[in-house]
Amino acid sequence: MALPSSPESGAGVGARPSLAQALFTRRMAICVFTGFSSGLPLYVLLNLVPAWLRTEGISLKTIGAMALIQFPYTWKFLWAPLLDRYALPWLGRRRGWMLVTQGGLMAAIAAMGSLSPGRDLQLVVWVATALAFLSATQDIVLDAYRREILSEAELGLGNSVHVNAYRVAGLVPGSLSLILADHLPWPAVFAVTAVFMLPGAFMALAVSEPAAAAVRPRSLREAVVEPFREFLGRAGWGHALLVLGFIFLYKLGDSMATALATPFYLDMGYSKSDIGVIAKNAGLWPSIAGGLLGGLWMVRLGINRALWIFGVVQYVTIAGFLWLAVTGPFVSVGASERALLAVVIGAEAVGVGVGTAAFVAYIARATSPAYTATQFALFTSLAAVPRTFLNAATGWLVGWLGWPSFFWLCMLLAIPGMVLLVKVAPWDAQSPRHGGGVTL
């Protein structure tokens, strides 16, 4: 039986649901699946592929430049109108595109492992680019679907659940796959990783289309033009530019700090199994706890205040990388060195996780339900620019500055986004539309 997806299908009309009623709903369960399906392919590109390339003898500069293959995440708003305007002949406008992209992602991840970076580096780049394109396209439809099934009051909690599941998905390529890589050949590792796209495919078959998805633009021109006109008309040019600047800058520092996380850990002297086991234990539970706590805090604080508090937590997380860089690299890795790595990975799981949860909730709130896919894609594309283009220079920056100075730079770049909060998300501007709506 299909899962209902109407935002009004929860508590009675006019009632303010309790926290338990808000959290344990089918819509929140759907957010778990959208987050996991969205996070897995990205973390394949961010964690598994760099580790694979590094162990195959590829240089840090080349690995850093590989961030450019993620350009579809920054340009997905160009084809988002096509997904808004056209529906595939099965499963509806949202679910049909979900299933097609998820099938393509399974095939691309599995195909990656059959290649040899030393011999087929150009082909590796093309397959990785196809993987990024399919992942970005899946994000367009998953973001639109999630925005259409969640009410305004559910945006903070629903996006926190989504981001929490997104982070948990990263433990497959960032932990399980790395552990398997010490015992299995790379083709088997990538094949096992690809299988984890199946839950998302099952979700696409089980859910129903949201009512909002039944109304689509009457022409491709309307699908392209109206989302931009509506946003500028609603916000005004001045505030619109501030919002876009904030979206670009808020995650800039921590995005750069985590761009080469796995090669950084390897350069500090840790083995792939060290990283995999510690990421599983020190990353999983802090990620889950941090994501849930972030969602609960957003219910109480609202999205604006959460952006302030979680932004500070996110900033402190970057300092953890600096701490490890100053302490290492290690000639031998014992219990104390593994404990240090556990602290850094655990802090990163909590800090970056809660910061992303508030950030994605803010982006969802900034979209109009009438133009969900294109506006959401525009905002998340802008947020992905640092990860794609600026992160491509991280390998060169590390080679020039060294790891400690590089993380100092990341801390400096994290400040402007926090400063813009004064204008785009004032501390005292709280209302139910800003992310509240359920009682503790």
Side-chain angles (χ1 to χ4, degrees):
M1 183 177 70
L3 299 175
S5 54
S6 170
E8 292 76 27
S9 59
V13 176
R16 296 184 72 201
S18 69
L19 184 60
Q21 288 174 322
L23 185 58
F24 296 106
T25 66
R26 289 183 177 181
R27 293 182 302 284
M28 296 302 152
I30 290 171
C31 289
V32 172
F33 284 94
T34 64
F36 191 90
S37 298
S38 181
L40 184 74
L42 177 61
Y43 281 107
V44 167
L45 293 172
L46 294 181
N47 294 143
L48 186 57
V49 170
W52 175 46
L53 296 177
R54 190 61 169 160
T55 57
E56 294 290 311
I58 305 301
S59 71
L60 267 182
K61 290 183 180 179
T62 300
I63 295 172
M66 284 282 287
L68 290 174
I69 65 174
Q70 299 170 40
F71 74 88
Y73 292 102
T74 67
W75 294 102
K76 62 185 177 182
F77 66 91
L78 294 178
W79 63 91
L82 297 175
L83 275 67
D84 254 347
R85 174 66 183 91
Y86 300 109
L88 296 175
W90 57 82
L91 297 179
R93 186 158 56 119
R94 302 303 186 206
R95 297 164 63 221
W97 286 113
M98 282 186 207
L99 199 60
V100 166
T101 54
Q102 287 157 355
L105 284 166
M106 278 189 277
I109 294 170
M112 185 81 73
S114 65
L115 304 175
S116 169
R119 185 181 65 249
D120 307 315
L121 186 59
Q122 186 173 2
L123 190 54
V124 168
V125 171
W126 281 110
V127 174
T129 302
L131 196 160
F133 174 80
L134 289 166
S135 177
T137 305
Q138 180 194 225
D139 285 352
I140 294 171
V141 66
L142 290 180
D143 288 340
Y145 185 86
R146 193 175 67 258
R147 180 64 177 92
E148 289 166 351
I149 67 172
L150 295 176
S151 67
E152 291 286 340
E154 293 174 313
L155 286 179
L157 188 58
N159 282 285
S160 178
V161 170
H162 169 86
V163 170
N164 187 41
Y166 187 102
R167 300 282 297 169
V168 170
L171 295 174
V172 175
S175 176
L176 175 63
S177 299
L178 290 178
I179 294 171
L180 291 176
D182 273 341
H183 306 281
L184 296 174
W186 282 110
V189 171
F190 278 94
V192 170
T193 306
V195 169
F196 282 88
M197 287 303 303
L198 284 176
F202 292 144
M203 182 271 293
L205 294 171
V207 299
S208 58
E209 283 283 284
V215 181
R216 53 178 172 163
R218 291 166 294 181
S219 66
L220 185 57
R221 181 183 181 280
E222 180 180 334
V224 172
V225 174
E226 288 305 317
F228 297 93
R229 180 182 296 172
E230 190 279 336
F231 172 62
L232 292 175
R234 169 163 45 96
W237 274 100
H239 191 69
L241 291 175
L242 286 174
V243 169
L244 296 177
F246 168 74
I247 290 173
F248 177 84
L249 292 169
Y250 186 70
K251 299 288 292 179
L252 174 59
D254 83 275
S255 176
M256 288 185 64
T258 57
L260 294 173
T262 304
F264 168 59
Y265 301 147
L266 290 169
D267 282 1
M268 292 300 102
Y270 297 100
S271 70
K272 295 189 294 294
S273 290
D274 283 333
I275 300 168
V277 171
I278 292 171
K280 174 185 175 183
N281 292 286
L284 175 60
W285 300 115
S287 178
I288 293 174
L292 291 177
L293 286 174
L296 304 186
W297 286 338
M298 258 193 285
V299 168
R300 179 184 291 274
L301 297 169
I303 293 173
N304 284 19
R305 292 181 178 180
L307 286 167
W308 284 84
I309 295 172
F310 298 161
V312 172
V313 175
Q314 187 175 264
Y315 190 81
V316 173
T317 297
I318 304 174
F321 287 97
L322 175 61
W323 179 28
L324 180 58
V326 170
T327 308
F330 307 110
V331 176
S332 62
V333 174
S336 61
E337 289 78 17
R338 292 188 180 96
L340 176 58
L341 180 62
V343 170
V344 172
I345 290 179
E348 189 264 346
V350 174
V352 179
V354 295
T356 302
F359 184 57
V360 173
Y362 175 86
I363 288 176
R365 190 182 70 189
T367 63
S368 167
Y371 306 104
T372 310
T374 301
Q375 287 186 350
F376 217 125
L378 172 64
F379 298 147
T380 53
S381 292
L382 187 61
V385 168
R387 188 182 69 221
T388 303
F389 293 103
L390 298 183
N391 287 6
T394 53
W396 178 83
L397 286 171
V398 170
W400 177 45
L401 298 172
W403 287 112
S405 296
F406 169 73
F407 290 122
W408 276 116
L409 175 63
C410 292
M411 294 181 71
L412 180 65
L413 293 174
I415 295 174
M418 291 293 295
V419 173
L420 281 177
L421 284 172
V422 175
K423 292 293 186 181
V424 303
W427 177 268
D428 291 327
Q430 299 298 316
S431 71
R433 192 176 187 273
H434 288 157
V438 297
T439 58
L440 289 172

